[in-house]
């Protein structure tokens, strides 16, 4: 049954409310949701990434490939993660007490993973103590220490039966121990740390080497450095060292002076290897500190803690009177006291924020300080913790700003923020007193009275805000309770209310240690999600990139390991253990409210892919593999992933497709978040790092450890499998069956956008997995040799290649393919089997080594074997032909570099024909639609997509021309035949040119002809027998006359004279006249003359009428051209023209043939060239007698005038010659050479200007020289005689009479000489002439001699007649 559908309209502009077609249900039934979804109001959480895109202006749509679209999404996600607020943004001016202390351990931010007991051997030594004992941690080494009187022992606390490492080489009691970093260059490289041991009399510097052992622990060895210094009477209790510079500071219990230990490799003049400097006290007491004990009557203030901030070059000290001093570390062992912050001044700052509280007053001591580096915060410098558990955040300022540097120390310090303790877990929350700090806390009161952390005995802060407070309640005896808190990164990154200042939200937990804490240490590297304050504290971003923070706490019973739970671990624990009153659905909704749908789906996806960790029953941290947890996480990802949203307001913009106005679902956001967090550490990293060997050789190493790459690949593979397994349940991946659930066109567009977005991410996942496989394969070989084998361009690209480019860009893929080729070529050179290598590459990274690539490698292998066998041997030729066959199989995939390499090898082995054939095949396959030919036919416009196709083919043809050059060079010195047989060189040349000339590639033939022309081998074109040569020359006709000459010559050599004349006529007629195509008038006349001759020649297949028509056109144009040439020559010597005008006129005339009208009006008539005017009349068939007569009169007078001016020859001679010349050129035309008019005109001219000059009969001689018939001239003279025409009146008639007698005599002599049977044309004419002579004899116009001549002539005529 057919459904009636609403007519489709292009988007945007569709009527979105038109109901979509109801599709029949197909496939398996949709699985019911795990949770009932109530109204979305209960799930409103923080603003997800990209949610503001609904109202943001949308950029024009870009055409992106799926993998490029996904890469852009990853980049946007990484940028968003980098925008995590810096510490100063949420710890601002004011007070707070925001804590989220969960009742369920599943939501706890930290968990105790394991307790390592103190070995029995330590207790045995401890029981023998006589004076003093101390305990501490070297957590970064995985070791603990204990000092018992004069002995120090270290042990690996994670080992079940550790070996004790002891230092017992001095007799005095130990008062302090510290592990510091050594100054560079002082000790040998294998000494990683210095162990500083202070006793009652001396300080010892012990070298410590720490190396990893196979069991996963650390192997520690102590070395005697022979460095020590005397400190008698100082009672050293505090030691601190700079990890950056290696400087070491200490202080004693008798004063608050700060000393520095100086140490160097060798002794110098007046300077021992080890010494000390007092930076605070000067004079005699500084040199002899022990003497001060005898007279000290003042306060017993001393330093109880030191802390160094290497990022700001600051040293902080906390005294026993809670005074904080700030020192500026300067170069060359300098140390200046910059700030002294007394407790009274500190608490006066606090009173500006809170007017009254029992937790902070002048009697409340500060128990610890913790520096905050400038990587973490720009303004905040230090956190101080009071005995009541209040945390004071202080900032230091100077004239240079918030951050101190080597050139400027801070000058003042203020309290910026106070964090009050959490509520007492054993009591109901008390009534909160109102806060006076409205700046930070707008709506909620701050609890400033909680005594849950009284007394705080010890505290410490680790970045990005892990705070540990140890309190010892009297009710619990000598047992500490630990409160540990951390920022809630998820809520800080995505606050629910964007309009308010970000709040300092923390979640914390209480831990009962059941023992007394002695020391705290950070096991894992210091936290840093970014090198700058913005983004530094983003714990969510590095969940899968770096190990979770672990902290070791040494107590009097053992070492407790505390692990920071990642959000993904909290989510897994919540599913597994934390089902509260609202059940599992309530827990998930709580997640959505707190962190948003995007973060929730990202976390659920990570747990479903096996990223969740938890502590097992045997105290191991292991992945959560509980099937129920994984299944619930899967369903949360699917069912809480939300839907894509179409921004209907932006659809009104018709320039942007509707699909680009869709914000993908939170499920897509969560997937992108998870992918970005997996690859964040490698995305922008370079693939390789260059180094050098001690001998100067090149070394290549990976910038990212290969094991890390394998871990990322393994995690992405799990994600790939998860998405593939569950795609039928995920909108956007489910395929056409998901369309059955849509009801409006709006939903359909949104689903299309979701599909595009998710499929792009899937493509990127595939690309990353394969890209990592490629890198792993690359480092399986000698990478340095492979890089060196690349061309310089590719080598530089390899240095700059990042993982992002490798995964997501075309250039990265192409470079990877070049590296794969280099690997294979290297293996082929080493004799490895190419099939084995190619198959291994295809299996591990198929897109970098396709089936076509494998065939190319096989063809290259055949080439190598042919080279080894010899190109001239039968085996070598067979291998070459097989290589050619394989190359032709994959011609469409063959890159220019590979083609060039193959062609060069073919040339080396003189397989010229095969090289040409391969290049032609690659050219043809690169443009199967032959669009390059249509591009040429269209005139090759600049902005055309077909241009690159022509360029690709042209590059192939250039290789062919190089081959032909090599052929000519190799065969030029060899004879063609020897003993009547063709030589091998001749055969090779014949084979090569045979492939060239028999090619049916018209584009190639055109390129070949161009190459011939550029080489100056025009004659070769005349020898070509090809159906394309004529078309080529016709297309090139307008580029240069040389191509046109080749065309008519080509026709003429093949006896196609008619076609040749047409080309020559076209050349003569062409109006193109520029620097590239310039044909002068003389050449055009030559073309017309040749065309006239060719048109007159019989051509097979051309009828007479066609030839006559063409001949007539040529003749007429030739006549005009000759006239134009006359004008040109005349104007060259015309003195009337200025040089500029002459150049202009000559340029106009010495080019295209101009029409007769223009020649007459613009040139001949204006220049008074009357003879040329007459020629134009003749050519134009102009018959106006008055115009013609006037031109003749002007011409005769002009010639006379010029001759008179010159002085020679006689004017009549010049006029006669002009008449004869014009008569010949005009062909004695009746219209333009009227005899009767010219005879009268010349007789008049002779009478008026040349009387008695020259022969009296010169006028008659002029006409007779032109073979004007006698019977034409005689009637004119007879008429002039009898009509008494002026000036021949009266006696002047004798001039006419004499001419009549002379003309009749000449006529008579002509008739006699010619032997004509009928004199004067007949008896009637003769009788008339006799009668005329008789009349003349009777007149007085003839003198006696003339009359006698007339009588004799009359008698002769009578005799002939009779």
């Amino acid at each position: 049954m057919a459904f009636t559908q609403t007519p489709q309209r292009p988007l945007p502009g569709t009527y979105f409310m038109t109901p979509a077609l109801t599709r029949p249900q197909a496939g398996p039934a949709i699985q019911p949701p795990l949770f009932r979804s109530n109204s979305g109001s209960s799930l409103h959480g923080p603003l997800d990434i990209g949610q503001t895109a609904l109202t943001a202006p949308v950029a024009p749509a870009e055409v992106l490939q799926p993998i490029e679209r996904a890469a852009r999404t990853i980049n946007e996600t990484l940028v968003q993660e980098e925008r995590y607020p810096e510490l100063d943004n949420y710890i601002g001016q004011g007070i707070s007490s925001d804590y989220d202390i969960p009742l369920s351990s599943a939501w706890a931010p930290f968990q105790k993973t394991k307790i390592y007991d103190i070995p029995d051997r330590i207790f045995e030594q401890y029981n023998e103590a006589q004076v003093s004992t101390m305990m501490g941690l070297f957590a970064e080494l995985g070791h603990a220490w204990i000092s018992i009187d004069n002995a120090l022992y270290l042990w690996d606390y994670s080992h079940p039966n550790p070996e004790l490492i002891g230092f017992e080489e001095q007799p005095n009691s130990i008062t302090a121990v510290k592990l510091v970093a050594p100054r560079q260059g002082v000790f040998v490289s294998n000494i990683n740390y210095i162990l500083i041991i202070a006793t009652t009399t001396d300080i010892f510097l012990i070298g410590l080497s720490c190396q990893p052992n196979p069991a996963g622990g650390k192997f520690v060895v102590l070395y005697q450095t022979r460095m020590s210094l005397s400190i008698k009477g100082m009672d050293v209790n505090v030691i601190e060292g700079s990890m950056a510079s290696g400087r070491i500071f200490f202080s004693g219990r008798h004063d608050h002076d700060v000393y520095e230990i100086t140490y160097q490799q060798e002794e110098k003049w007046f300077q021992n290897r080890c010494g000390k400097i007092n930076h605070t006290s000067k004079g005699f007491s500084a040199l002899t500190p022990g003497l001060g004990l005898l007279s000290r009557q003042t306060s017993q203030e001393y330093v109880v803690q030191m802390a160094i901030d290497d990022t700001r070059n600051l040293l902080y000290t906390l005294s026993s009177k809670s005074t904080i001093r700030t020192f500026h570390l300067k170069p060359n062992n300098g140390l200046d006291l910059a700030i002294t912050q007394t407790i009274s001044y500190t608490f006066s700052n606090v009173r500006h924020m809170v007017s009254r509280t029992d937790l902070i007053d002048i009697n409340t001591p500060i128990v610890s300080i913790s520096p905050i580096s400038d990587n973490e915060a720009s303004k905040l410098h230090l956190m101080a913790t009071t005995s009541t558990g209040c945390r004071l955040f202080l900032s230091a300022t100077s004239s240079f700003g918030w951050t101190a540097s080597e050139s400027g120390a801070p000058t003042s310090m203020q309290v910026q923020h106070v964090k009050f303790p959490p509520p007492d877990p054993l009591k109901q929350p008390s009534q909160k007193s109102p806060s006076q700090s409205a700046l930070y806390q707008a709506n909620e009161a701050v609890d400033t009275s909680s005594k849950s952390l009284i007394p705080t005995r010890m505290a410490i802060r680790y970045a990005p805000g892990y705070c540990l407070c140890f309190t010892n309640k009297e009710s619990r005896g000598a047992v500490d309770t630990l409160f540990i808190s951390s920022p809630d990164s998820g809520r800080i990154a995505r606050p629910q209310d964007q309009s308010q200042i970000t709040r300092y939200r923390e979640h914390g937990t209480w831990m009962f240690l059941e023992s007394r804490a002695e020391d705290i240490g950070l096991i894992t590297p210091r936290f840093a999600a970014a090198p700058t304050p913005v983004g530094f504290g983003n714990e969510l971003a590095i969940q899968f990139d770096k190990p979770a923070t672990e902290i070791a706490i040494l107590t009097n019973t053992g070492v407790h390991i505390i692990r920071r739970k990642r959000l993904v671990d909290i989510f897994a624990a919540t599913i597994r253990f934390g089902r509260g009153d609202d059940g599992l659905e309530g827990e998930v909704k709580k997640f959505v409210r707190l962190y948003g749908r995007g973060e929730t789906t990202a976390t659920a996806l990570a747990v479903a892919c096996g990223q969740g960790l938890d502590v097992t029953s045997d105290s191991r941290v292991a992945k959560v593999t509980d099937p129920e947890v994984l299944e619930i996480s899967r369903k949360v990802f699917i069912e809480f992933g939300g839907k894509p949203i179409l921004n209907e307001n932006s659809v009104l913009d018709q320039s942007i497709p509707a699909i680009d106005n869709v914000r993908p679902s939170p499920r897509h956001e969560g997937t992108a978040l998870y992918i970005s967090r997996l690859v964040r550490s490698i995305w922008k990293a370079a693939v390789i790092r260059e180094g050098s060997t001690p001998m100067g050789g090149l070394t290549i190493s990976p910038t990212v450890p290969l094991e890390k790459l394998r871990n990322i690949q393994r995690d992405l593979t799990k994600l790939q499998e998860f998405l593939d397994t569950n795609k039928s349940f995920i909108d956007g991946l489910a395929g056409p069956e998901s369309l059955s659930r849509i009801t409006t066109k709006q939903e359909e567009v949104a689903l299309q956008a979701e599909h595009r977005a998710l499929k792009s991410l899937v493509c990127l996942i595939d690309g990353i997995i394969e890209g990592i496989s490629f890198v792993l394969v690359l480092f399986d070989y000698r990478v340095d040799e492979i890089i060196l084998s690349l061309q310089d361009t590719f080598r530089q690209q390899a240095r700059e290649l990042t993982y992002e480019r490798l995964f997501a860009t075309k250039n990265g893929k192409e470079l990877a393919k070049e590296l794969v080729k280099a690997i294979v070529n290297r293996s082929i050179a080493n004799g490895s089997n190419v099939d084995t290598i190619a198959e291994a590459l295809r299996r591990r990274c198929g897109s970098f080594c396709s089936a076509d690539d494998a065939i190319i490698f096989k063809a290259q292998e055949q080439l190598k074997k042919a080279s080894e066998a010899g190109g001239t041997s039968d085996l070598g030729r067979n291998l070459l032909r097989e290589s050619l066959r394989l190359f032709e199989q994959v011609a469409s995939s063959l890159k220019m570099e590979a083609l060039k390499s193959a062609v060069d090898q073919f040339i080396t082995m003189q397989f010229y024909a095969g090289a040409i054939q391969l290049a032609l095949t690659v050219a043809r396959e690169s443009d199967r639609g032959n669009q390059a030919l249509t591009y040429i036919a269209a005139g090759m416009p600049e902005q055309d997509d077909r241009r690159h196709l022509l360029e690709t083919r042209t590059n192939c043809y250039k290789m062919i021309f190089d081959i032909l050059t090599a052929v000519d060079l190799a065969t030029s010195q060899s004879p063609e035949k020897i003993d009547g047989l063709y030589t091998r060189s001749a055969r090779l040349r014949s084979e090569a040119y045979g492939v060239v000339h028999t090619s049916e590639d018209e584009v190639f033939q055109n390129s070949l002809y161009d190459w011939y022309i550029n080489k100056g081998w025009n004659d070769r074109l005349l020898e070509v027998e090809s159906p394309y040569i004529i078309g080529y020359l016709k297309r090139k006709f307008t580029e240069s006359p040389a191509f046109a000459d080749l065309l008519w010559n080509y026709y003429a050599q093949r006896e196609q004279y008619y076609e040749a004349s047409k080309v020559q006529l076209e050349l003569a007629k062409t109006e193109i006249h520029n620097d590239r195509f310039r044909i002068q008038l003389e050449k055009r006349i030559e073309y017309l003359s040749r065309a006239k001759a060719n048109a007159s020649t019989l051509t097979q297949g051309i009828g007479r009428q066609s030839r006559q028509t063409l001949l007539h056109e040529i003749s007429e144009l030739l006549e005009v051209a000759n006239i134009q040439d006359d004008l040109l020559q005349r104007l060259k010597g015309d003195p009337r023209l200025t040089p500029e005008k002459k150049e202009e006129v000559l340029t106009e005339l010495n080019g295209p043939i101009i029409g007769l009208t223009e020649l007459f009006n613009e040139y001949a008539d204006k220049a008074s060239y009357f003879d040329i005017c007459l020629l134009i009349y003749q050519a134009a068939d102009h018959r106006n007698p008055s115009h013609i007569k006037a031109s003749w009169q002007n011409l005769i007078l002009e010639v006379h005038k010029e001759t008179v001016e010159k002085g020679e020859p006689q004017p009549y001679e010049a006029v006669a010659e002009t008449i004869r010349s014009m008569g010949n050129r005009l062909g004695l035309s009746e219209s333009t050479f009227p005899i009767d008019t010219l005879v009268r005109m010349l007789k008049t001219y002779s009478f008026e200007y040349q009387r008695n000059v020259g022969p009296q009969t010169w006028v008659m001689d002029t006409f007779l020289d032109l073979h004007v018939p006698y019977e034409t001239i005689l009637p004119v003279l007879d008429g002039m005689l009898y009509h008494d025409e002026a000036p021949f009146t009266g006696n002047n008639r004798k001039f006419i009479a004499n001419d009549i007698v002379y003309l009749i005599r000449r006529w008579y002599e002509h008739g006699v000489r010619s032997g004509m049977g009928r004199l004067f044309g007949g008896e009637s004419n003769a009788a008339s002439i006799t009668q005329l002579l008789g009349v003349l004899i009777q007149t007085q116009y003839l003198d006696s001699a003339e009359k006698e001549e007339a009588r004799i002539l009359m008698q002769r005529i009578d005799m002939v007649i009779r």
Side-chain angles (χ1 to χ4, degrees), residues 1244-1265:
T1244 302
Y1245 165 76
S1246 176
F1247 177 80
E1248 293 179 352
Y1249 294 97
Q1250 295 291 294
R1251 190 185 311 175
N1252 300 324
V1253 178
Q1256 292 184 3
T1257 61
W1258 69 269
V1259 174
M1260 295 300 106
D1261 289 338
T1262 299
F1263 287 106
L1264 292 177
D1265 289 344

Side-chain angles (χ1 to χ4, degrees), residues 367 386-389 451-458 469-474 480-481:
V367 297
T386 68
S387 62
T388 58
K451 300 181 179 180
S452 59
L453 294 180
I454 296 177
T456 295
R457 186 176 63 82
M458 182 168 57
C469 289
F470 296 88
T471 179
N472 189 345
K473 300 290 185 179
E474 295 180 0
D480 285 337
T481 300

Side-chain angles (χ1 to χ4, degrees), residues 286-308:
L287 298 176
T288 56
L291 297 178
L293 295 175
L294 302 177
S295 59
R296 195 182 306 270
Q297 301 293 331
T298 59
S299 170
Q300 296 296 317
E301 183 183 14
Y302 60 91
V303 174
V304 296
Q305 184 185 354
M306 287 184 179
I308 293 178

Side-chain angles (χ1 to χ4, degrees), residues 416-595:
Q416 292 289 325
H417 189 87
V418 180
K419 185 76 171 186
F420 283 92
D424 194 326
L426 302 180
K427 298 180 180 180
Q428 293 293 331
S430 62
Q431 183 68 32
K432 297 181 180 179
S433 61
S435 170
Q436 297 179 358
S437 179
L439 176 64
Y440 183 84
Q441 203 72 22
N443 300 319
E444 296 185 11
V446 179
D447 183 3
T448 61
S449 60
S450 174
K451 300 181 179 180
S452 59
L453 294 180
I454 296 177
T456 295
R457 186 176 63 82
M458 182 168 57
I460 195 168
R461 179 188 184 276
Y462 294 115
Y466 306 145
C467 296
L468 292 81
C469 289
F470 296 88
T471 179
N472 189 345
K473 300 290 185 179
E474 295 180 0
S475 59
R476 297 183 59 86
V479 174
D480 285 337
T481 300
L482 169 64
F483 176 74
I484 182 169
S485 63
S486 68
D488 194 342
S489 302
R491 299 173 70 184
I492 292 173
R494 297 172 180 82
Q496 293 182 353
D497 190 349
Q498 293 278 356
S499 63
Q500 292 188 1
I501 299 174
T502 304
R503 296 167 61 180
Y504 183 18
R505 296 184 179 276
E506 288 186 294
H507 47 185
T509 186
W510 295 90
M511 293 186 182
F512 301 101
L513 300 179
E514 304 299 337
S515 54
R516 179 182 174 84
E518 300 290 342
D519 198 3
I520 315 163
L522 192 62
I523 299 174
T524 51
R526 294 178 182 272
F527 179 94
T532 59
V534 177
F536 180 91
N538 194 350
E539 294 182 85
L540 303 182
I542 62 168
Q543 288 183 90
F544 319 115
D545 183 45
K546 295 181 179 180
T549 299
E550 289 189 343
I551 301 170
I553 301 173
L554 176 65
T555 70
N556 54 5
T557 60
V559 178
H560 301 248
I561 307 299
I562 308 298
R563 176 180 175 272
R564 168 66 162 140
K565 288 172 66 176
R566 306 169 301 168
L567 188 63
V568 67
D569 303 330
I570 294 174
F571 184 84
T574 301
I575 294 175
R576 192 175 182 185
F577 306 112
R579 304 183 186 183
D581 297 337
D582 295 331
L584 187 56
E585 182 179 0
E587 297 292 327
V588 175
K589 288 183 178 181
K590 178 180 178 182
F591 243 92
V592 173
R593 283 194 301 271
L594 292 177
Y595 305 115

Side-chain angles (χ1 to χ4, degrees), residues 262-388:
T262 61
Y263 57 101
Q264 58 193 14
Q265 190 174 18
E266 301 291 340
E267 290 187 2
K268 298 181 180 180
W269 288 99
F270 308 107
Q271 190 173 5
N272 296 325
R273 292 180 63 198
C274 189
K276 66 177 182 293
I277 300 174
N278 188 334
H279 286 291
T280 51
S281 296
K282 310 298 180 183
F284 182 75
S285 62
L287 298 176
T288 56
L291 297 178
L293 295 175
L294 302 177
S295 59
R296 195 182 306 270
Q297 301 293 331
T298 59
S299 170
Q300 296 296 317
E301 183 183 14
Y302 60 91
V303 174
V304 296
Q305 184 185 354
M306 287 184 179
I308 293 178
D309 181 358
D310 283 317
T311 63
R312 292 187 171 98
N313 295 319
L314 297 178
L315 167 65
Y316 303 101
T317 66
L318 175 64
S319 75
S320 57
K321 294 187 176 181
S322 297
T323 298
I324 300 174
R325 293 179 174 86
T326 303
F327 296 85
H328 182 215
L329 279 70
K330 301 175 65 176
N332 300 320
N333 295 333
L335 186 73
D336 291 343
L337 176 61
I339 303 170
T340 299
Q341 181 99 350
T342 64
I343 189 169
S344 60
Y345 181 78
T346 300
F347 290 151
S348 68
N349 290 165
V350 175
R351 282 194 291 273
H352 291 294
M353 302 178 195
V354 55
S355 59
R356 181 178 180 182
T357 175
D358 295 336
L359 299 182
I360 301 176
D361 58 30
I362 194 67
N363 297 316
T364 305
I366 296 175
V367 297
S368 72
I369 55 174
S370 296
I372 300 174
S373 69
D374 70 348
N375 297 334
E376 189 176 358
S378 302
K379 300 178 180 179
L380 297 177
H381 285 55
L382 190 70
M383 186 194 82
T385 306
T386 68
S387 62
T388 58

Side-chain angles (χ1 to χ4, degrees), residues 1043-1256:
F1043 290 107
D1045 290 341
L1046 285 172
L1047 180 57
W1048 66 258
N1049 271 302
Y1050 188 87
Y1051 282 131
Q1053 285 193 10
R1054 284 152 185 80
E1055 299 182 352
Q1056 298 179 24
Y1057 302 113
Y1058 179 78
E1059 297 295 335
S1061 65
K1062 287 174 64 177
V1063 174
Q1064 291 163 338
L1065 174 61
E1066 186 65 25
L1067 273 171
K1069 289 169 60 178
T1070 181
E1071 296 184 359
I1072 303 175
H1073 192 67
N1074 50 44
D1075 293 338
R1076 189 178 63 175
F1077 196 100
R1078 183 181 296 276
I1079 303 178
Q1080 295 185 347
L1081 183 60
E1082 181 182 3
K1083 192 67 175 177
R1084 293 174 189 268
I1085 295 173
E1086 179 185 343
Y1087 285 139
L1088 289 170
S1089 301
R1090 289 178 180 273
K1092 189 173 183 180
N1094 284 324
S1096 303
T1097 306
L1098 182 64
T1099 302
Q1100 186 176 0
I1102 304 299
R1104 181 179 179 182
Q1105 183 177 359
S1106 299
R1107 290 192 296 109
Q1108 289 298 328
T1109 303
L1110 180 63
L1111 187 61
H1112 177 72
E1113 182 182 358
I1114 294 171
S1115 299
E1116 286 190 339
L1117 191 62
L1118 180 60
E1119 185 178 7
V1120 176
N1122 285 324
I1123 293 171
Q1124 184 173 331
D1125 186 58
D1126 289 341
L1127 274 171
L1128 177 65
Q1129 302 306 321
R1130 188 76 62 85
L1131 287 169
K1132 283 183 179 178
D1134 196 324
R1136 295 174 294 174
L1137 295 174
T1138 63
E1140 295 79 9
K1141 185 63 176 178
K1142 180 178 291 187
E1143 182 179 0
E1144 177 186 348
V1145 170
L1146 296 183
T1147 302
E1148 292 173 354
L1149 288 173
N1150 196 18
I1153 298 174
I1154 301 172
L1156 289 172
T1157 301
E1158 185 177 352
L1159 289 175
F1160 180 83
N1161 293 328
E1162 299 297 330
Y1163 302 100
D1165 187 49
K1166 287 184 177 181
S1168 299
Y1169 297 152
F1170 303 111
D1171 53 343
I1172 296 177
C1173 288
L1174 290 167
L1175 293 174
I1176 293 175
Y1177 293 155
Q1178 169 78 4
D1181 196 22
H1182 184 73
R1183 295 177 179 270
N1184 190 313
S1186 61
H1187 293 170
I1188 295 171
K1189 182 178 179 180
S1191 295
W1192 275 111
Q1193 287 175 340
N1194 291 329
L1195 175 61
I1196 292 170
L1197 292 176
E1198 184 69 23
V1199 172
H1200 174 81
K1201 180 181 178 181
E1202 290 179 359
T1203 307
V1204 170
E1205 291 176 355
K1206 291 180 181 178
E1208 60 176 1
Q1210 291 296 332
Y1212 81 90
E1213 293 177 336
V1215 171
E1217 180 60 32
T1218 300
I1219 297 299
R1220 281 192 290 270
S1221 173
M1222 291 298 294
N1224 288 325
R1225 295 193 63 177
L1226 295 174
L1228 304 179
S1229 169
E1230 293 180 0
S1231 60
T1232 56
F1233 198 84
I1235 300 300
D1236 58 343
T1237 302
L1238 290 175
V1239 169
R1240 289 180 170 87
M1241 198 178 293
L1242 282 179
K1243 286 302 297 179
T1244 302
Y1245 165 76
S1246 176
F1247 177 80
E1248 293 179 352
Y1249 294 97
Q1250 295 291 294
R1251 190 185 311 175
N1252 300 324
V1253 178
Q1256 292 184 3

